[in-house]
Amino acid sequence: MNNPNSHIDDHFHTRAIAQEFEDVPATRPAKEDWERIRELQGRDEARLHGEAAFIMQDFNATKRPFALFLRSFEVEAYNYLTPEDDAGKRKVLTTGAGPSRVELKLSTALAGRLKALSVANPAQLLTSRSSFPRLVLPNEGWEAVVQNVVAHAHFIVMDCSTLAPGVLRELEIIRAANRQNATIIVLSAPDDSSQDTLRQAAEILGAIAEKHPKPSKDNPEFAAFPRVAREDEIGFDHLDDSPLFADLLASATAAAAAAPPFDPVALAKGLSNEGVSLFNNQQYAQAMDLYQQAIVLRRYIDDRSGLLTSLVNIGTLYVDVGQPAQALPSFEEGLALARELNRSDDEALLTSYIGMTHKQLGKPDKAKQWLAAAYQLQTAHGEPQDVENTLGALSEVFEALQDGDGMISALGELRAYHRRRGDQSGELRDTLLLGRTYYLAGLLPQANQLFQEGVRLSVAVGDHERESLCREMLERIAVDPAKT
């Protein structure tokens, strides 16, 4: 199960910059600045994705209408590769851009009237800005999401300045969904030379700049689309009078008025709870999908208490599927949030989870530090089962470190904890573990005493199986030649 946003850092543009830092030592001082820029971009990406996801969840819950804005990818972010050199390497040439004129005009026209969203590929996240919130889509699987959004958008506006492969595929998706009459295709104005300028700049720098045809109303690709116009033919400042937009805007206004209120807090809670049920049934992929939907909503509406729950859910799922490295960021963010919210019980639990995650990652020294800190917090704020888990894990870490004293100390602390609580069953389990530890260390008198105590506790709680085990160990010790 992979990080849902890993495609951003796996994009060739990001990889090329990372390779540049490796190949050209003179660039390395800029690495910290680049990483900071990526962090800021990541926050902006999450905000825009959250807003777009909120619009979609609102529609799913209430059928409140929204518009979809599609654009020609190459106009916003030209990414070209130079021919390979003798070492088989290529350079990436790219340029950044802001929203197109069509996007700016449309966002102004729809503001306060109708929510609209767009979609983004990894290149756009690195090189372009947007007026509309946008769903962040990976290179793989993006078509299914676009198909879903196309099917449910009240209307679609395509800013079409080039017939690039991605644009042609989107037109196919629209035709397959039979949404041609709900799609407005906006062609470039005669004075728009941005595509040619970008391509010429790339050619000057030695890149291979593939030229895509500039579309016109007569293109056969638009034959099934009744709403096609050039940018300069549309009065964006009075769309209600436009034959392209008027009827679509009127029906959207009526649908919005009929839509009930949207309760994102309740929806996120429902998604989270359904995810927990799937998790308990070991349907991990389905559970993660719902967890991710819930956390995106909770981030967007700043439901910090719910966000904490989602972070714990996601972290524990990664642990359960054997991906502790993926769990650690969720647990660490959750710990910081628990401290901000003054949630001492959650702080204690997450400190323990981080310790156990380091244990799974084969980092016993870090695990020991975190688990010891967790126990100190849990003595005041932890649930009994959590305390038992922490001290049990701590004893295993000491065992891995071959620290017998530490192991005995952890088990002794756990035994004392159960004794203070009057939990004789728990005390019995700890007594047997301590007895085993002393026995394996050759400390037979101490082991003998503990197994005698184990017999007493077994009788008290009616645990005949453990009583038999204790008596068997006492017999072994009685005939052991090392007994002193």
PDB file of all heavy atoms in Angstrom, residues 358-390:
ATOM      1  N   HIS A 358       9.368   2.180  15.742  1.00  0.00           N
ATOM      2  CA  HIS A 358      10.830   2.096  15.665  1.00  0.00           C
ATOM      3  C   HIS A 358      11.305   0.664  15.954  1.00  0.00           C
ATOM      4  O   HIS A 358      12.282   0.195  15.354  1.00  0.00           O
ATOM      5  CB  HIS A 358      11.470   3.076  16.648  1.00  0.00           C
ATOM      6  CG  HIS A 358      11.479   4.493  16.162  1.00  0.00           C
ATOM      7  ND1 HIS A 358      12.120   4.868  15.007  1.00  0.00           N
ATOM      8  CD2 HIS A 358      10.928   5.625  16.679  1.00  0.00           C
ATOM      9  CE1 HIS A 358      11.967   6.175  14.827  1.00  0.00           C
ATOM     10  NE2 HIS A 358      11.245   6.653  15.815  1.00  0.00           N
ATOM     11  N   LYS A 359      10.613  -0.015  16.849  1.00  0.00           N
ATOM     12  CA  LYS A 359      10.944  -1.421  17.144  1.00  0.00           C
ATOM     13  C   LYS A 359      10.772  -2.268  15.885  1.00  0.00           C
ATOM     14  O   LYS A 359      11.630  -3.089  15.544  1.00  0.00           O
ATOM     15  CB  LYS A 359      10.057  -1.923  18.274  1.00  0.00           C
ATOM     16  CG  LYS A 359      10.212  -3.405  18.619  1.00  0.00           C
ATOM     17  CD  LYS A 359       9.347  -3.742  19.832  1.00  0.00           C
ATOM     18  CE  LYS A 359       9.343  -5.234  20.125  1.00  0.00           C
ATOM     19  NZ  LYS A 359       8.525  -5.989  19.158  1.00  0.00           N
ATOM     20  N   GLN A 360       9.656  -2.061  15.164  1.00  0.00           N
ATOM     21  CA  GLN A 360       9.423  -2.799  13.926  1.00  0.00           C
ATOM     22  C   GLN A 360      10.453  -2.453  12.860  1.00  0.00           C
ATOM     23  O   GLN A 360      10.800  -3.286  12.022  1.00  0.00           O
ATOM     24  CB  GLN A 360       8.027  -2.497  13.392  1.00  0.00           C
ATOM     25  CG  GLN A 360       6.907  -3.236  14.110  1.00  0.00           C
ATOM     26  CD  GLN A 360       5.583  -3.012  13.410  1.00  0.00           C
ATOM     27  OE1 GLN A 360       4.949  -1.986  13.590  1.00  0.00           O
ATOM     28  NE2 GLN A 360       5.176  -3.966  12.600  1.00  0.00           N
ATOM     29  N   LEU A 361      10.941  -1.217  12.885  1.00  0.00           N
ATOM     30  CA  LEU A 361      11.914  -0.779  11.892  1.00  0.00           C
ATOM     31  C   LEU A 361      13.330  -1.241  12.227  1.00  0.00           C
ATOM     32  O   LEU A 361      14.270  -0.917  11.501  1.00  0.00           O
ATOM     33  CB  LEU A 361      11.879   0.753  11.774  1.00  0.00           C
ATOM     34  CG  LEU A 361      10.631   1.334  11.103  1.00  0.00           C
ATOM     35  CD1 LEU A 361      10.583   2.848  11.291  1.00  0.00           C
ATOM     36  CD2 LEU A 361      10.611   0.977   9.617  1.00  0.00           C
ATOM     37  N   GLY A 362      13.473  -1.983  13.328  1.00  0.00           N
ATOM     38  CA  GLY A 362      14.790  -2.473  13.708  1.00  0.00           C
ATOM     39  C   GLY A 362      15.686  -1.418  14.304  1.00  0.00           C
ATOM     40  O   GLY A 362      16.916  -1.472  14.141  1.00  0.00           O
ATOM     41  N   LYS A 363      15.096  -0.456  15.017  1.00  0.00           N
ATOM     42  CA  LYS A 363      15.859   0.608  15.665  1.00  0.00           C
ATOM     43  C   LYS A 363      15.611   0.539  17.177  1.00  0.00           C
ATOM     44  O   LYS A 363      14.868   1.353  17.737  1.00  0.00           O
ATOM     45  CB  LYS A 363      15.443   1.970  15.114  1.00  0.00           C
ATOM     46  CG  LYS A 363      15.700   2.121  13.611  1.00  0.00           C
ATOM     47  CD  LYS A 363      15.220   3.465  13.098  1.00  0.00           C
ATOM     48  CE  LYS A 363      15.473   3.597  11.605  1.00  0.00           C
ATOM     49  NZ  LYS A 363      14.970   4.894  11.077  1.00  0.00           N
ATOM     50  N   PRO A 364      16.237  -0.445  17.859  1.00  0.00           N
ATOM     51  CA  PRO A 364      15.908  -0.684  19.268  1.00  0.00           C
ATOM     52  C   PRO A 364      16.272   0.479  20.195  1.00  0.00           C
ATOM     53  O   PRO A 364      15.584   0.704  21.190  1.00  0.00           O
ATOM     54  CB  PRO A 364      16.709  -1.943  19.607  1.00  0.00           C
ATOM     55  CG  PRO A 364      17.796  -1.997  18.588  1.00  0.00           C
ATOM     56  CD  PRO A 364      17.218  -1.412  17.350  1.00  0.00           C
ATOM     57  N   ASP A 365      17.343   1.203  19.908  1.00  0.00           N
ATOM     58  CA  ASP A 365      17.707   2.319  20.786  1.00  0.00           C
ATOM     59  C   ASP A 365      16.642   3.403  20.783  1.00  0.00           C
ATOM     60  O   ASP A 365      16.258   3.923  21.838  1.00  0.00           O
ATOM     61  CB  ASP A 365      19.065   2.898  20.361  1.00  0.00           C
ATOM     62  CG  ASP A 365      20.217   1.957  20.699  1.00  0.00           C
ATOM     63  OD1 ASP A 365      20.189   1.356  21.792  1.00  0.00           O
ATOM     64  OD2 ASP A 365      21.121   1.800  19.865  1.00  0.00           O
ATOM     65  N   LYS A 366      16.158   3.755  19.578  1.00  0.00           N
ATOM     66  CA  LYS A 366      15.080   4.744  19.496  1.00  0.00           C
ATOM     67  C   LYS A 366      13.802   4.199  20.122  1.00  0.00           C
ATOM     68  O   LYS A 366      13.065   4.919  20.814  1.00  0.00           O
ATOM     69  CB  LYS A 366      14.828   5.134  18.042  1.00  0.00           C
ATOM     70  CG  LYS A 366      15.816   6.133  17.477  1.00  0.00           C
ATOM     71  CD  LYS A 366      15.332   6.672  16.140  1.00  0.00           C
ATOM     72  CE  LYS A 366      16.224   7.792  15.658  1.00  0.00           C
ATOM     73  NZ  LYS A 366      15.755   8.386  14.375  1.00  0.00           N
ATOM     74  N   ALA A 367      13.537   2.921  19.864  1.00  0.00           N
ATOM     75  CA  ALA A 367      12.339   2.304  20.427  1.00  0.00           C
ATOM     76  C   ALA A 367      12.364   2.369  21.945  1.00  0.00           C
ATOM     77  O   ALA A 367      11.350   2.680  22.591  1.00  0.00           O
ATOM     78  CB  ALA A 367      12.222   0.858  19.944  1.00  0.00           C
ATOM     79  N   LYS A 368      13.523   2.074  22.537  1.00  0.00           N
ATOM     80  CA  LYS A 368      13.660   2.100  24.000  1.00  0.00           C
ATOM     81  C   LYS A 368      13.348   3.486  24.544  1.00  0.00           C
ATOM     82  O   LYS A 368      12.602   3.630  25.535  1.00  0.00           O
ATOM     83  CB  LYS A 368      15.083   1.684  24.382  1.00  0.00           C
ATOM     84  CG  LYS A 368      15.355   1.705  25.890  1.00  0.00           C
ATOM     85  CD  LYS A 368      16.779   1.258  26.192  1.00  0.00           C
ATOM     86  CE  LYS A 368      17.787   2.270  25.720  1.00  0.00           C
ATOM     87  NZ  LYS A 368      19.172   1.927  26.124  1.00  0.00           N
ATOM     88  N   GLN A 369      13.876   4.529  23.903  1.00  0.00           N
ATOM     89  CA  GLN A 369      13.653   5.894  24.382  1.00  0.00           C
ATOM     90  C   GLN A 369      12.173   6.270  24.325  1.00  0.00           C
ATOM     91  O   GLN A 369      11.624   6.819  25.283  1.00  0.00           O
ATOM     92  CB  GLN A 369      14.468   6.870  23.543  1.00  0.00           C
ATOM     93  CG  GLN A 369      15.980   6.720  23.691  1.00  0.00           C
ATOM     94  CD  GLN A 369      16.749   7.539  22.670  1.00  0.00           C
ATOM     95  OE1 GLN A 369      16.172   8.292  21.892  1.00  0.00           O
ATOM     96  NE2 GLN A 369      18.063   7.371  22.652  1.00  0.00           N
ATOM     97  N   TRP A 370      11.526   5.956  23.189  1.00  0.00           N
ATOM     98  CA  TRP A 370      10.126   6.335  23.028  1.00  0.00           C
ATOM     99  C   TRP A 370       9.218   5.518  23.947  1.00  0.00           C
ATOM    100  O   TRP A 370       8.275   6.069  24.542  1.00  0.00           O
ATOM    101  CB  TRP A 370       9.697   6.150  21.575  1.00  0.00           C
ATOM    102  CG  TRP A 370      10.148   7.261  20.679  1.00  0.00           C
ATOM    103  CD1 TRP A 370      11.248   7.290  19.881  1.00  0.00           C
ATOM    104  CD2 TRP A 370       9.501   8.531  20.505  1.00  0.00           C
ATOM    105  NE1 TRP A 370      11.330   8.488  19.218  1.00  0.00           N
ATOM    106  CE2 TRP A 370      10.272   9.267  19.575  1.00  0.00           C
ATOM    107  CE3 TRP A 370       8.351   9.108  21.032  1.00  0.00           C
ATOM    108  CZ2 TRP A 370       9.928  10.551  19.176  1.00  0.00           C
ATOM    109  CZ3 TRP A 370       7.998  10.393  20.628  1.00  0.00           C
ATOM    110  CH2 TRP A 370       8.776  11.102  19.704  1.00  0.00           C
ATOM    111  N   LEU A 371       9.479   4.234  24.085  1.00  0.00           N
ATOM    112  CA  LEU A 371       8.630   3.394  24.927  1.00  0.00           C
ATOM    113  C   LEU A 371       8.771   3.753  26.401  1.00  0.00           C
ATOM    114  O   LEU A 371       7.779   3.759  27.146  1.00  0.00           O
ATOM    115  CB  LEU A 371       8.960   1.918  24.710  1.00  0.00           C
ATOM    116  CG  LEU A 371       8.549   1.350  23.347  1.00  0.00           C
ATOM    117  CD1 LEU A 371       9.179  -0.016  23.111  1.00  0.00           C
ATOM    118  CD2 LEU A 371       7.023   1.271  23.228  1.00  0.00           C
ATOM    119  N   ALA A 372       9.994   4.076  26.824  1.00  0.00           N
ATOM    120  CA  ALA A 372      10.186   4.490  28.215  1.00  0.00           C
ATOM    121  C   ALA A 372       9.446   5.792  28.486  1.00  0.00           C
ATOM    122  O   ALA A 372       8.801   5.961  29.538  1.00  0.00           O
ATOM    123  CB  ALA A 372      11.681   4.649  28.516  1.00  0.00           C
ATOM    124  N   ALA A 373       9.506   6.732  27.517  1.00  0.00           N
ATOM    125  CA  ALA A 373       8.772   7.991  27.669  1.00  0.00           C
ATOM    126  C   ALA A 373       7.266   7.750  27.672  1.00  0.00           C
ATOM    127  O   ALA A 373       6.514   8.385  28.430  1.00  0.00           O
ATOM    128  CB  ALA A 373       9.153   8.947  26.539  1.00  0.00           C
ATOM    129  N   ALA A 374       6.827   6.801  26.838  1.00  0.00           N
ATOM    130  CA  ALA A 374       5.391   6.487  26.782  1.00  0.00           C
ATOM    131  C   ALA A 374       4.902   5.948  28.110  1.00  0.00           C
ATOM    132  O   ALA A 374       3.821   6.316  28.590  1.00  0.00           O
ATOM    133  CB  ALA A 374       5.130   5.480  25.667  1.00  0.00           C
ATOM    134  N   TYR A 375       5.708   5.080  28.729  1.00  0.00           N
ATOM    135  CA  TYR A 375       5.285   4.506  30.008  1.00  0.00           C
ATOM    136  C   TYR A 375       5.124   5.586  31.073  1.00  0.00           C
ATOM    137  O   TYR A 375       4.162   5.557  31.860  1.00  0.00           O
ATOM    138  CB  TYR A 375       6.266   3.444  30.479  1.00  0.00           C
ATOM    139  CG  TYR A 375       5.935   2.919  31.854  1.00  0.00           C
ATOM    140  CD1 TYR A 375       4.713   2.305  32.099  1.00  0.00           C
ATOM    141  CD2 TYR A 375       6.827   3.077  32.918  1.00  0.00           C
ATOM    142  CE1 TYR A 375       4.382   1.845  33.361  1.00  0.00           C
ATOM    143  CE2 TYR A 375       6.500   2.618  34.184  1.00  0.00           C
ATOM    144  CZ  TYR A 375       5.274   2.006  34.399  1.00  0.00           C
ATOM    145  OH  TYR A 375       4.945   1.562  35.660  1.00  0.00           O
ATOM    146  N   GLN A 376       6.030   6.541  31.091  1.00  0.00           N
ATOM    147  CA  GLN A 376       5.918   7.621  32.068  1.00  0.00           C
ATOM    148  C   GLN A 376       4.617   8.397  31.887  1.00  0.00           C
ATOM    149  O   GLN A 376       3.970   8.798  32.858  1.00  0.00           O
ATOM    150  CB  GLN A 376       7.119   8.573  31.937  1.00  0.00           C
ATOM    151  CG  GLN A 376       8.453   7.938  32.307  1.00  0.00           C
ATOM    152  CD  GLN A 376       8.456   7.396  33.727  1.00  0.00           C
ATOM    153  OE1 GLN A 376       7.985   8.047  34.659  1.00  0.00           O
ATOM    154  NE2 GLN A 376       8.978   6.178  33.883  1.00  0.00           N
ATOM    155  N   LEU A 377       4.212   8.605  30.627  1.00  0.00           N
ATOM    156  CA  LEU A 377       2.949   9.285  30.353  1.00  0.00           C
ATOM    157  C   LEU A 377       1.752   8.398  30.676  1.00  0.00           C
ATOM    158  O   LEU A 377       0.742   8.855  31.211  1.00  0.00           O
ATOM    159  CB  LEU A 377       2.884   9.702  28.878  1.00  0.00           C
ATOM    160  CG  LEU A 377       3.849  10.796  28.427  1.00  0.00           C
ATOM    161  CD1 LEU A 377       3.885  10.879  26.900  1.00  0.00           C
ATOM    162  CD2 LEU A 377       3.435  12.145  29.012  1.00  0.00           C
ATOM    163  N   GLN A 378       1.873   7.109  30.369  1.00  0.00           N
ATOM    164  CA  GLN A 378       0.737   6.206  30.531  1.00  0.00           C
ATOM    165  C   GLN A 378       0.443   5.856  31.982  1.00  0.00           C
ATOM    166  O   GLN A 378      -0.687   5.474  32.297  1.00  0.00           O
ATOM    167  CB  GLN A 378       0.973   4.930  29.715  1.00  0.00           C
ATOM    168  CG  GLN A 378       0.839   5.142  28.215  1.00  0.00           C
ATOM    169  CD  GLN A 378       1.178   3.903  27.422  1.00  0.00           C
ATOM    170  OE1 GLN A 378       1.991   3.081  27.853  1.00  0.00           O
ATOM    171  NE2 GLN A 378       0.575   3.753  26.254  1.00  0.00           N
ATOM    172  N   THR A 379       1.419   5.970  32.852  1.00  0.00           N
ATOM    173  CA  THR A 379       1.135   5.696  34.262  1.00  0.00           C
ATOM    174  C   THR A 379       0.073   6.648  34.797  1.00  0.00           C
ATOM    175  O   THR A 379      -0.677   6.305  35.713  1.00  0.00           O
ATOM    176  CB  THR A 379       2.412   5.831  35.108  1.00  0.00           C
ATOM    177  OG1 THR A 379       3.034   7.097  34.856  1.00  0.00           O
ATOM    178  CG2 THR A 379       3.391   4.724  34.802  1.00  0.00           C
ATOM    179  N   ALA A 380       0.025   7.850  34.195  1.00  0.00           N
ATOM    180  CA  ALA A 380      -0.976   8.833  34.643  1.00  0.00           C
ATOM    181  C   ALA A 380      -2.196   8.872  33.732  1.00  0.00           C
ATOM    182  O   ALA A 380      -3.304   9.179  34.183  1.00  0.00           O
ATOM    183  CB  ALA A 380      -0.336  10.221  34.704  1.00  0.00           C
ATOM    184  N   HIS A 381      -2.009   8.563  32.429  1.00  0.00           N
ATOM    185  CA  HIS A 381      -3.089   8.801  31.479  1.00  0.00           C
ATOM    186  C   HIS A 381      -3.451   7.608  30.602  1.00  0.00           C
ATOM    187  O   HIS A 381      -4.352   7.713  29.784  1.00  0.00           O
ATOM    188  CB  HIS A 381      -2.714   9.975  30.551  1.00  0.00           C
ATOM    189  CG  HIS A 381      -2.369  11.237  31.279  1.00  0.00           C
ATOM    190  ND1 HIS A 381      -3.312  11.998  31.928  1.00  0.00           N
ATOM    191  CD2 HIS A 381      -1.169  11.848  31.460  1.00  0.00           C
ATOM    192  CE1 HIS A 381      -2.711  13.051  32.485  1.00  0.00           C
ATOM    193  NE2 HIS A 381      -1.414  12.987  32.219  1.00  0.00           N
ATOM    194  N   GLY A 382      -2.747   6.495  30.731  1.00  0.00           N
ATOM    195  CA  GLY A 382      -2.962   5.397  29.797  1.00  0.00           C
ATOM    196  C   GLY A 382      -4.001   4.392  30.249  1.00  0.00           C
ATOM    197  O   GLY A 382      -4.265   4.231  31.447  1.00  0.00           O
ATOM    198  N   GLU A 383      -4.567   3.711  29.264  1.00  0.00           N
ATOM    199  CA  GLU A 383      -5.456   2.598  29.538  1.00  0.00           C
ATOM    200  C   GLU A 383      -4.616   1.374  29.936  1.00  0.00           C
ATOM    201  O   GLU A 383      -3.477   1.222  29.464  1.00  0.00           O
ATOM    202  CB  GLU A 383      -6.290   2.268  28.308  1.00  0.00           C
ATOM    203  CG  GLU A 383      -7.275   3.355  27.900  1.00  0.00           C
ATOM    204  CD  GLU A 383      -8.373   3.538  28.933  1.00  0.00           C
ATOM    205  OE1 GLU A 383      -8.761   2.527  29.573  1.00  0.00           O
ATOM    206  OE2 GLU A 383      -8.838   4.674  29.103  1.00  0.00           O
ATOM    207  N   PRO A 384      -5.136   0.493  30.788  1.00  0.00           N
ATOM    208  CA  PRO A 384      -4.348  -0.671  31.241  1.00  0.00           C
ATOM    209  C   PRO A 384      -3.775  -1.497  30.093  1.00  0.00           C
ATOM    210  O   PRO A 384      -2.615  -1.900  30.145  1.00  0.00           O
ATOM    211  CB  PRO A 384      -5.367  -1.467  32.062  1.00  0.00           C
ATOM    212  CG  PRO A 384      -6.339  -0.442  32.552  1.00  0.00           C
ATOM    213  CD  PRO A 384      -6.444   0.580  31.468  1.00  0.00           C
ATOM    214  N   GLN A 385      -4.566  -1.750  29.046  1.00  0.00           N
ATOM    215  CA  GLN A 385      -4.067  -2.550  27.935  1.00  0.00           C
ATOM    216  C   GLN A 385      -2.916  -1.853  27.225  1.00  0.00           C
ATOM    217  O   GLN A 385      -1.961  -2.495  26.788  1.00  0.00           O
ATOM    218  CB  GLN A 385      -5.195  -2.833  26.940  1.00  0.00           C
ATOM    219  CG  GLN A 385      -4.805  -3.788  25.811  1.00  0.00           C
ATOM    220  CD  GLN A 385      -4.387  -5.151  26.320  1.00  0.00           C
ATOM    221  OE1 GLN A 385      -5.115  -5.773  27.093  1.00  0.00           O
ATOM    222  NE2 GLN A 385      -3.218  -5.626  25.901  1.00  0.00           N
ATOM    223  N   ASP A 386      -2.992  -0.506  27.139  1.00  0.00           N
ATOM    224  CA  ASP A 386      -1.923   0.246  26.479  1.00  0.00           C
ATOM    225  C   ASP A 386      -0.639   0.194  27.303  1.00  0.00           C
ATOM    226  O   ASP A 386       0.463   0.074  26.742  1.00  0.00           O
ATOM    227  CB  ASP A 386      -2.356   1.699  26.263  1.00  0.00           C
ATOM    228  CG  ASP A 386      -3.543   1.813  25.318  1.00  0.00           C
ATOM    229  OD1 ASP A 386      -3.687   0.928  24.451  1.00  0.00           O
ATOM    230  OD2 ASP A 386      -4.326   2.770  25.461  1.00  0.00           O
ATOM    231  N   VAL A 387      -0.774   0.305  28.633  1.00  0.00           N
ATOM    232  CA  VAL A 387       0.399   0.208  29.506  1.00  0.00           C
ATOM    233  C   VAL A 387       1.045  -1.163  29.362  1.00  0.00           C
ATOM    234  O   VAL A 387       2.271  -1.291  29.249  1.00  0.00           O
ATOM    235  CB  VAL A 387       0.013   0.466  30.975  1.00  0.00           C
ATOM    236  CG1 VAL A 387       1.218   0.254  31.891  1.00  0.00           C
ATOM    237  CG2 VAL A 387      -0.527   1.888  31.146  1.00  0.00           C
ATOM    238  N   GLU A 388       0.218  -2.190  29.338  1.00  0.00           N
ATOM    239  CA  GLU A 388       0.729  -3.552  29.199  1.00  0.00           C
ATOM    240  C   GLU A 388       1.457  -3.718  27.869  1.00  0.00           C
ATOM    241  O   GLU A 388       2.550  -4.311  27.805  1.00  0.00           O
ATOM    242  CB  GLU A 388      -0.421  -4.552  29.317  1.00  0.00           C
ATOM    243  CG  GLU A 388       0.041  -6.000  29.267  1.00  0.00           C
ATOM    244  CD  GLU A 388      -1.075  -6.975  29.603  1.00  0.00           C
ATOM    245  OE1 GLU A 388      -2.132  -6.528  30.100  1.00  0.00           O
ATOM    246  OE2 GLU A 388      -0.882  -8.181  29.371  1.00  0.00           O
ATOM    247  N   ASN A 389       0.880  -3.185  26.801  1.00  0.00           N
ATOM    248  CA  ASN A 389       1.516  -3.284  25.492  1.00  0.00           C
ATOM    249  C   ASN A 389       2.864  -2.563  25.467  1.00  0.00           C
ATOM    250  O   ASN A 389       3.840  -3.063  24.905  1.00  0.00           O
ATOM    251  CB  ASN A 389       0.605  -2.701  24.413  1.00  0.00           C
ATOM    252  CG  ASN A 389      -0.630  -3.550  24.169  1.00  0.00           C
ATOM    253  OD1 ASN A 389      -0.646  -4.735  24.501  1.00  0.00           O
ATOM    254  ND2 ASN A 389      -1.662  -2.955  23.604  1.00  0.00           N
ATOM    255  N   THR A 390       2.903  -1.382  26.090  1.00  0.00           N
ATOM    256  CA  THR A 390       4.138  -0.597  26.092  1.00  0.00           C
ATOM    257  C   THR A 390       5.244  -1.310  26.860  1.00  0.00           C
ATOM    258  O   THR A 390       6.370  -1.449  26.371  1.00  0.00           O
ATOM    259  CB  THR A 390       3.879   0.792  26.704  1.00  0.00           C
ATOM    260  OG1 THR A 390       2.946   1.494  25.879  1.00  0.00           O
ATOM    261  CG2 THR A 390       5.165   1.600  26.806  1.00  0.00           C
TER     262      THR A 390
END
